[in-house]
Amino acid sequence: MNFNSWQFLVFFSLVVLLYWVLPHKARWAMLLIASYIFYMSWNVWLIILIMITTITAYGFAIGIERTRNIKLKKLFLAITPIICLGLLIFFKYINFILESAIGVIRLFGGASDDIVLNIILPVGISFYTFQTLSYVVEVYWGKFKAEQHFGYFALYVAYFPQLVAGPIEKPQTLLPQLRQEQKFNEEYLLEGGKWLLSGFFRKCVVTDFCGIFVNKVYSGLGVSSGLAVFIASGLFLIQIYNDFAGYSEIALGAARLMGVQLSKNFDKPLTSTSYTEFFRRWHITLNQWFTQYVYIPLGGNRKGTARKIINTLIVFALCGLWHGANWTFVIWGVVAGVMISLETLLRKPFSKLCEKAKIDPENPAIKLLRQSLIFLLFTFNGVLFRAQNLAEVGLAFRQMFTSWDTLENTMSDLGINALQIIQLAIFITAMVMAYKLPQAGNAGNEKPLPLSCATTAADNISVFIYGIIAVMLCWLGLIAMGDSSAFQYFQF
């Protein structure tokens, strides 16, 4: 049940209506049933996996809290990731592990047949596994009391707005809100509606529109010009950002309509002036998860520069692998780790150089140059994220640096025609309307931003309606062409 489907719109409208009609004591049960129905809409049997994860974490967290035996606490803590990560590794990585092992055997002259298990990747398993593990660790550290009510804990694991693609919520952020009795507030509707509109705009307009050209080029890399591959790779960065940020904003809006504030997952990463800044702004909750539960326990930056670099490379290699069972993702993560480590090493020399040359790094022109450089680097690194395998990565870079052609042929490779130009006009119109909307309230622990005093309620409503119409027109146009797609991040 994709967010950008009529089935979800009907389902979600019914859930919100029931939520505000039912008494507080019955809401958790309705939301849990709705969340399981939402998850089973992908595949009925997936409910077994999420139930195993839920029961495991619920039981061992209570065991950790109740026992005074340190060894037993550590045993409970160890068993939980063995079971939960075991499910994740089997369903997401077993074929990758087998393929890699067979590749090593063949590399050393051994003979082995291909082994591929016919396993369905459970949607959202990476997200709810990490969210569940954070809960158990927080209980073990004594930072959060184990939830005694199984229903509320099950809802924390399966809460449908953020179940399949995050944000990854710590128990302190989400569980108390699910327990709290929410009082109906018109601000919830306005704030949630703006997040929904922004999210649907990103997905149904920006993402799917960029996807038309990206898919056209990457489906025929061998015959596409270098300029077309380069442009498509840049568009892919915009596409994947708006795809995931769009999902996150729809999740924020859906939860906010029921009084819950989810954490902000993106903070304008494409305006970053460094790799380090980019990853502070991109998929914020995942990066916080790896920092808190992997990087810091490894030693973080407390054991010297060399250890810090090693820890950074480990974390980003794991982050890359988290995104997909493919060596392209691992390399993507390692490259990111190397770039961030280089920035760490060069930060002081760069500052001294700027000081000596009397250059202000925050000067608008210098800042724009740095932003452009980071976007360019991520465009090249994005090839690893978009390509299906290492052979396709090599082909993309070969075309990019050796097969440049005329602008006319490049436009043809991208598939730009009169209809796309009309869509582009609608796209720009929708973007202008969206930016006229007052800023939606911030998520997480930040206070909602007040509506602009310069606009009246009638202005807000009219712009809101125009924005919805613009998104609907673009979405309908894409559906008519068969270019409306599922969220890219569901595969991760």
Side-chain angles (χ1 to χ4, degrees), residues 32 37 42 57 62 106 115 127 129 214 295 298 302 359 411 414-415 417 451-452:
L32 181 59
I37 290 172
W42 304 94
I62 291 177
R106 289 173 177 170
I115 302 174
F127 290 92
T129 298
V214 175
Y295 180 72
L298 284 173
R302 302 187 305 275
I359 297 174
M411 298 282 279
L414 287 165
N417 54 40
L451 294 176
S452 172

Side-chain angles (χ1 to χ4, degrees), residues 106-135:
R106 289 173 177 170
L107 184 65
F108 288 96
S112 180
D113 295 331
D114 290 331
I115 302 174
V116 178
L117 301 181
N118 187 21
I119 298 174
I120 297 174
L121 173 62
V123 64
I125 190 171
S126 300
F127 290 92
Y128 71 71
T129 298
F130 272 31
Q131 181 160 303
T132 305
L133 290 177
S134 71
Y135 164 79

Side-chain angles (χ1 to χ4, degrees), residues 191 195 256 261-267 284 439-449:
E191 193 178 340
W195 279 121
R256 196 64 186 138
Q261 281 192 317
L262 297 179
S263 299
K264 193 174 183 178
N265 223 7
F266 291 88
D267 185 18
I284 296 170
Q439 179 68 37
N442 291 326
N445 297 321
E446 302 173 21
K447 293 181 180 179
L449 295 173

Side-chain angles (χ1 to χ4, degrees), residues 191-206 242 245-247 249-250 434 437-440 464 467-468 471:
E191 193 178 340
K194 288 177 181 177
W195 279 121
L196 287 170
L197 177 58
S198 178
F200 279 118
F201 171 78
R202 287 182 183 277
K203 170 57 186 168
C204 299
V205 182
V206 183
N242 282 281
Y247 178 94
E249 290 183 354
I250 295 171
L437 283 171
Q439 179 68 37
F464 193 70
I468 292 173
V471 171

Side-chain angles (χ1 to χ4, degrees), residues 213-475:
F213 311 111
V214 175
N215 296 338
K216 175 76 164 55
V217 171
Y218 271 85
S219 63
L221 275 175
V223 294
S224 297
S225 71
L227 181 57
V229 175
F230 176 76
I231 293 173
S233 300
L235 286 174
F236 173 70
L237 180 56
I238 297 172
Q239 177 193 10
I240 199 68
Y241 163 57
N242 282 281
D243 178 87
F244 198 13
Y247 178 94
S248 297
E249 290 183 354
I250 295 171
L252 286 168
R256 196 64 186 138
L257 286 180
M258 294 178 284
V260 173
Q261 281 192 317
L262 297 179
S263 299
K264 193 174 183 178
N265 223 7
F266 291 88
D267 185 18
K268 301 178 181 177
L270 299 190
T271 63
S272 300
T273 56
S274 68
Y275 252 78
T276 305
E277 182 185 356
F278 184 95
F279 282 104
R280 286 198 189 117
R281 294 169 169 235
W282 176 282
H283 205 341
I284 296 170
T285 57
L286 177 68
N287 290 318
Q288 289 175 341
W289 195 97
F290 272 108
T291 299
Q292 188 161 4
Y293 303 118
V294 181
Y295 180 72
I296 292 176
L298 284 173
N301 56 5
R302 302 187 305 275
K303 298 184 179 182
T305 302
R307 183 63 179 272
K308 179 182 178 180
I309 290 173
I310 292 172
N311 293 341
T312 299
L313 292 174
I314 291 172
V315 166
F316 274 92
L318 290 173
C319 183
L321 187 61
W322 177 90
H323 281 88
N326 197 317
W327 284 109
T328 57
F329 291 112
V330 178
I331 296 172
W332 174 84
V334 171
V335 169
V338 169
M339 295 300 296
I340 288 174
S341 298
L342 285 174
E343 288 180 351
T344 300
L345 294 173
L346 298 175
R347 188 172 292 119
K348 287 184 178 179
F350 177 74
S351 297
K352 289 181 179 179
L353 180 64
C354 289
E355 188 178 343
K356 187 177 290 187
K358 296 181 179 180
I359 297 174
D360 180 10
E362 297 304 315
N363 177 281
I366 300 296
K367 192 173 182 179
L368 178 61
L369 180 63
R370 293 169 65 196
Q371 289 171 335
S372 301
L373 176 61
I374 293 302
F375 187 91
L376 180 65
L377 290 173
F378 268 98
T379 294
F380 288 125
N381 203 17
V383 173
L384 289 162
F385 213 91
R386 177 59 178 79
Q388 300 299 310
N389 48 58
L390 291 175
E392 199 168 286
V393 171
L395 179 59
F397 280 117
R398 188 188 73 187
Q399 295 296 103
M400 206 179 294
F401 291 105
T402 64
S403 301
W404 282 55
D405 207 334
T406 63
L407 182 60
E408 182 180 354
N409 288 340
T410 298
M411 298 282 279
S412 176
D413 290 340
L414 287 165
I416 296 177
N417 54 40
L419 184 56
Q420 261 85 50
I421 293 173
I422 294 171
Q423 284 185 308
L424 180 61
I426 298 174
F427 167 81
I428 293 171
T429 302
M431 181 177 287
V432 170
M433 288 181 175
Y435 275 102
K436 282 185 178 180
L437 283 171
Q439 179 68 37
N442 291 326
N445 297 321
E446 302 173 21
K447 293 181 180 179
L449 295 173
L451 294 176
S452 172
C453 298
T455 57
T456 65
D459 291 333
N460 290 329
I461 293 172
S462 62
V463 174
F464 193 70
I465 292 172
Y466 289 143
I468 292 173
I469 293 172
V471 171
M472 288 179 64
L473 285 172
C474 290
W475 189 23

